[in-house]
Amino acid sequence: MQLNFDFFNKWVKDKLGIQLDAYKEKQMQRRIANIMESHNIKTLEAYAKLLERNADAKQEFLEHITINVTEFYRNRDLFEVFEKNLVALNKTFPRMKIWSAACSIGAEPYTLAMILQKNKINGAKIIATDIDRTILQKAKTAIYKPNELKNMPPAEKTEYFTKLSADQYQLKDNIKRQVMFKRHDLLKDRYEDKCHVIVCRNVTIYFKNEARDEVYRKFADALVPGGILFTGATETINFSEKFGLKKIDSFIYQKM
């Protein structure tokens, strides 16, 4: 099946404001072809018409391409290392600004809020952003499934969540109100500034090298000197010095 991705990339950019050509081509094209096959659609022109007239299909497409796979304390061992660095950083910056970029359903920024509370770090501001408005709404609702809490110790699960049913847990308000959510596109929107901590994990692996490097450059610009960037277990920043960053721990970089 020969698909006209030049047409579709332009259509998505014009109509949905998303730059598909910044993503790795084979991965993205395979994901789009799979979802088209599930609808028995043969051409990208026909798929574009479906997305234009059908809100559910459009939302399905957005969720499919933005890859909202996440959980609380994803890679718990890395979060334990990050926590030590965060506590040490707080001694230098008592009132931290923390940005959780590409936050998906909110598990990551809420994990950060729990770490702050556990370590009695007060006065920190957590901003969480994502490109998908529907996912952000789910994050604000803060109702989660057991598999999304699988890395949490039972005591923390009891402390921070209310069990609604066998497969639903509601995050308590004292954690929810520590996080402010808003929409943001890493590829085209203006970045936060004067951040002491940026957390962006398992996102840039889907970008082409040029787009990935531009994201890291902008993250470095968004950090104050001495601020830290926490990346995912699948992401290593090669030659981080060219962005003004130095590696200080596992998947943790500090602005020089």
Side-chain angles (χ1 to χ4, degrees):
M1 179 168 58
Q2 189 68 35
L3 297 176
N4 185 0
F5 277 100
D6 288 340
F7 153 78
F8 191 68
N9 287 353
K10 184 177 185 305
W11 184 89
V12 169
K13 184 176 181 180
D14 292 344
K15 299 293 184 179
L16 304 180
I18 297 173
Q19 297 174 236
L20 290 184
D21 55 5
Y23 292 79
K24 292 179 180 176
E25 287 178 3
K26 289 184 179 179
Q27 288 182 352
M28 183 56 64
Q29 291 178 6
R30 186 168 58 247
R31 296 178 74 84
I32 293 170
N34 288 342
I35 198 170
M36 285 173 59
E37 186 176 347
S38 72
H39 288 283
N40 197 29
I41 293 174
K42 304 300 183 185
T43 69
L44 283 162
E45 289 80 0
Y47 187 43
K49 289 179 180 177
L50 173 67
L51 298 180
E52 199 152 26
R53 69 172 184 268
N54 188 311
D56 290 340
K58 183 170 77 171
Q59 186 55 42
E60 179 189 35
F61 169 72
L62 291 173
E63 291 183 8
H64 201 67
I65 65 165
T66 51
I67 311 143
N68 292 301
V69 178
T70 186
E71 62 205 26
F72 284 80
Y73 289 104
R74 186 176 185 183
N75 310 116
R76 176 108 199 177
D77 54 333
L78 298 185
F79 259 101
E80 289 171 355
V81 173
F82 168 73
E83 182 173 346
K84 292 175 184 175
N85 281 272
L86 184 68
V87 171
L89 191 71
N90 182 237
K91 294 175 182 176
T92 304
F93 303 111
R95 301 185 69 82
M96 292 186 294
K97 179 180 179 181
I98 301 172
W99 177 19
S100 175
C103 70
S104 186
I105 58 174
E108 202 161 80
Y110 288 139
T111 297
L112 299 175
M114 292 173 189
I115 289 172
L116 294 178
Q117 182 161 306
K118 183 170 62 172
N119 289 282
K120 296 181 172 58
I121 296 175
N122 300 313
K125 177 182 181 182
I126 302 174
I127 298 167
T129 65
D130 199 272
I131 193 172
D132 188 335
R133 295 185 193 279
T134 302
I135 286 297
L136 286 172
Q137 192 55 49
K138 181 176 180 181
K140 292 175 186 177
T141 303
I143 295 176
Y144 296 97
K145 299 175 182 176
N147 67 298
E148 291 162 341
L149 309 181
K150 65 185 180 184
N151 295 322
M152 297 197 68
E156 287 190 30
K157 191 186 296 185
T158 300
E159 181 178 357
Y160 298 125
F161 290 87
T162 300
K163 187 173 183 179
L164 302 179
S165 65
D167 62 349
Q168 283 193 324
Y169 289 81
Q170 171 78 65
L171 186 67
K172 292 182 178 177
D173 286 344
N174 64 321
I175 298 298
K176 282 176 65 177
R177 60 174 168 257
Q178 292 187 52
V179 181
M180 183 187 78
F181 291 95
K182 62 182 182 180
R183 186 188 181 278
H184 181 269
D185 183 341
L186 284 170
L187 296 173
K188 68 174 188 177
D189 291 338
R190 181 179 177 180
Y191 278 36
E192 294 291 328
D193 62 2
K194 299 178 181 176
C195 296
H196 302 98
V197 179
I198 297 175
V199 178
C200 185
R201 310 183 70 233
N202 309 303
V203 176
T204 62
I205 54 170
Y206 300 105
F207 295 159
K208 292 179 181 176
N209 292 347
E210 299 82 1
R212 179 201 62 206
D213 287 355
E214 184 64 15
V215 167
Y216 286 142
R217 188 172 291 108
K218 289 181 177 179
F219 278 152
D221 289 344
L223 286 167
V224 301
I228 60 175
L229 169 65
F230 181 28
T231 66
T234 54
E235 296 162 317
T236 298
I237 306 178
N238 296 317
F239 309 109
S240 60
E241 293 81 6
K242 69 181 178 180
F243 306 115
L245 301 169
K246 63 177 179 179
K247 187 173 184 178
I248 59 170
D249 223 319
S250 300
F251 306 99
I252 299 174
Y253 301 82
Q254 186 168 44
K255 182 170 180 175
M256 295 185 286

